[in-house]
Amino acid sequence: MKIVREALAGTLESSDLMVRITPRDGELAIVLQSEVMHQFGARIEAVARECLAKLGITEALVVIEDKGALDCVVAARVQTAVSRAVDEWTADWSALS
Amino acid sequence: MRLRRSMLFLPGANAAMLSTAFVFKPDTIMFDLEDAVSLREKDAARMLVFHALQMPVYGDMETAVRINPLSTPFGLKDLEAVVRAGVDVVRLPKTDTADDVRALEAEVERIERDCGREVGSTKLMAAIESASGVVNAVAIATSSKRLVGIALAGFDYVMDMQTERGDGSELFYARCAVLHAARFAKIDAFDVVFSDVNDDAGFLKEVDLIRRLGFNGKSLINPRQIDLLHNAFAPTQEEVDYSRRVVAAAEQGEKQGLGVVSLNGKMIDAPVIEHARVVLRRAEASGVRQ
Amino acid sequence: MTDDLLSYTIDPALQPDEREDIRTFLAKCGLDYEIGVEAFVVFRRKRHLVACAGLEKNIVKCTAIDPEMRGEALGLRLLTELIHLAQDRGHSHLFLYTKPDCVEFFRSCGFYLLAEVPGLVALMENTPIGVKAYCDRLKRLRRPGAVIGAVVMNANPFTRGHRYLVERAAAACDWLHVFVVAEDVSLISYRDRYALVSSGIADIPRVTLHHGSEYMVSRATFSAYFFKEKGIVGDCCTAIDLLIFRDHIAPALGITHRFVGTEPFCPTTFKYNADMRHWLRGDVSPSPAVEVVEIDRTECEDVPISASEVRRLLAADDFARIRRLVPATTLELLETKYRAPRSSAA
């Protein structure tokens, strides 16, 4: 799927994260800020990258403001942002687990 | 036999609550995709709940999801997500007729086949929120083998009845009707939410009433209410002692192949034995009433 | 698990009752109601307003939380709602002015500091890569040299005075960077202003023309400039714009000097020029100082040429005099596109 518009998902509240995804040509860039950057920064980015890969997103700018979210919340927010940023959401549920 | 005393509602869009609700140990965790979620966040909540259902944290707790009505653009999408995510029970809101349940059941079965889930493993619960639902309660309660219970939802119901929540007399008929339908169909019956989370005395009074009427449990919106409810549903030591004797007698009778069970020279009927088992389950879950 | 907070969005122009409630609430919190706000997010507990935040295009304004409910949770919800509202209204890049002691709170809401006047005011944006990405792009346009100059002009419209300023500045530098203010709220559209500057200075060597940005004399960095007719020029409103220039833009391009025309007419621009020395050269920032060079305006019949004078003449339809103040390209554009409608009697 292709990111065709900017989209936002999530909140700034504790245990959540806000994800902003923007169209970008030629690269997949993830900019992560987290309250738990030190312990979990790499982990959060890995979860986000895996989600994007499963959805076939190879070009986008993804800015994440994390508030200590669990992996599954990270996945849910990234997927929601993508679903709002594409023209046609064709993901199979099995690609989202 | 599963206890369903406490059904804790969680707004499906709230990541923090979804992440931590299991620590409160309600009998059933009810993820809400309907009234607690704004239109803007319907998709986000569905995705969160899809993931939350797959967390390996629930143990003995039952997971349930209140989906949006199938007549909305969200209902079927909700169902696709939660059945695939392995939810134990789907709660259908605004159930007016038995056909509403049957329509849901057909979709659930289709999705189960699509995703390879065992057909019939997704249970259903119907929420009755209108005069039509109350009048059709028996038909609704007997409409599907998947139904594990029916619930009265007070907010919409009192509006449909052109009245408002008060001391409970406004729900008198609906409670009795829903309860009888559930007992007739041999499924569970659940009472309405008590919305003033700061009024413990009022809450306990209502819990006492619905327990005596015979409800299995109640919808809750605050985790604080869980222990209060479980304690109120816990049997007294006397009840436990008596129930132990009943169950022991029943087991003995069974072992001896007797068709009739007796205790202290009196015959004990099946419903008495069944009730004694419920009492012991409640005691096992929360001890005796404090 | 729910709470008793209700949140919703209001349009202050259409909902006067809500607007007055917000005005009262802001006053209670020691804040003014700003008339430019186009939409508010409000939170109510029972019937009481407990938090609000407003948007004027992409600028966050009138953010307040009931003192009794201050604690991070409500603030984070308020800003979440506001950011989603802005997104729905087509604004993803947001700016926010606040007091320096609130910077930490807004940092937790995903806002990043752009510039701060200690004790007075701070400007923040809602992305960690906003000004940084902009400066990274500028860095690719760096030119070698010991004296690197910059001119920032609105050119509303481009006059012989602007041409003279660029000529003189370019002659004094190894390289000159010219920026055209990008905010599209002036009489002459940004597109037209940029085109006029581009053709007007094309023959001057060692000059790079840049598009302006939100980080330079924009509604966000310097809102007073665009409302100068109202005569509202706060003490620190120029400081933020100049500090962003000094801390971010000048280091990206290696700018050592900033050139400005002397300002005899417009009080806002006059103050801006005076403040420039303080904020670009003074001991107010860890970034290297930028020298400020004021160049006397070129004059026409003893009157300095200025764009505001051209606009005045345009309103009076006095093209005979405009002709003497602007180059041919500007004259042609003004005649064909911006001429005031004449009355039928004339």
Side-chain angles (χ1 to χ4, degrees), chain B residues 72-151:
Chain B
T72 67
F74 316 112
L76 200 52
K77 290 178 178 169
D78 294 345
L79 195 64
E80 292 276 356
V82 303
V83 171
R84 285 163 201 273
V87 71
D88 294 325
V89 179
V90 173
R91 173 162 163 148
L92 182 69
K94 301 181 174 58
T95 312
D96 292 335
T97 68
D99 282 346
D100 293 343
V101 179
R102 286 192 275 263
L104 175 68
E105 182 173 41
E107 295 291 356
V108 169
E109 185 169 328
R110 176 186 59 75
I111 299 166
E112 284 174 339
R113 288 185 199 285
D114 273 5
C115 70
R117 182 172 171 169
E118 185 194 335
V119 171
S121 63
T122 312
K123 301 299 176 195
L124 305 179
M125 181 184 297
I128 289 177
E129 314 188 19
S130 65
S132 163
V134 170
V135 168
N136 292 321
V138 172
I140 290 169
T142 53
S143 60
S144 164
K145 279 196 204 125
R146 293 173 185 256
L147 269 184
V148 296
I150 53 176

Side-chain angles (χ1 to χ4, degrees), chain B residues 4-6 207-208 210-212 214-218 227-236 239 278-279 282-283 286-287 289:
Chain B
R4 296 191 183 89
R5 298 161 299 174
S6 51
V207 169
D208 189 52
I210 62 118
R211 184 185 57 81
R212 284 186 290 113
F215 277 96
N216 297 74
K218 195 169 173 57
D227 282 349
L228 293 175
L229 179 85
H230 286 179
N231 184 53
F233 265 79
T236 60
E239 286 172 311
V278 170
V279 167
R282 287 175 180 170
S286 312
R289 200 182 308 167

Side-chain angles (χ1 to χ4, degrees), chain B residues 268-277:
Chain B
I268 311 170
D269 292 334
V272 176
I273 298 166
E274 190 57 31
H275 180 71
R277 291 202 160 107

Side-chain angles (χ1 to χ4, degrees), chain C residues 175-188:
Chain C
W175 200 270
L176 181 71
H177 296 278
V178 176
F179 296 86
V180 181
V181 171
E183 202 66 63
D184 222 344
V185 294
S186 298
L187 172 67
I188 315 293

Side-chain angles (χ1 to χ4, degrees), chain C residues 2 35 46 89 94 104 108 115 117 128 130 133 141 149-150 157 160-161 169-170 197 208 223 228 269 275 281 338:
Chain C
T2 51
I35 49 168
K46 302 275 162 59
R89 296 173 67 87
L94 304 180
E104 201 177 328
S108 73
V117 182
L141 303 169
R160 291 181 199 277
V197 176
T208 303
S223 61
K228 53 192 170 188
T269 313
D275 288 351
R281 291 172 51 197
Y338 292 96

Side-chain angles (χ1 to χ4, degrees), chain B residues 246 249-251 253-254 258-263 266-269 273:
Chain B
V246 169
E251 281 169 359
E254 223 168 274
L258 299 174
V260 178
V261 178
S262 68
L263 181 66
K266 283 190 207 158
M267 195 173 80
I268 311 170
D269 292 334
I273 298 166

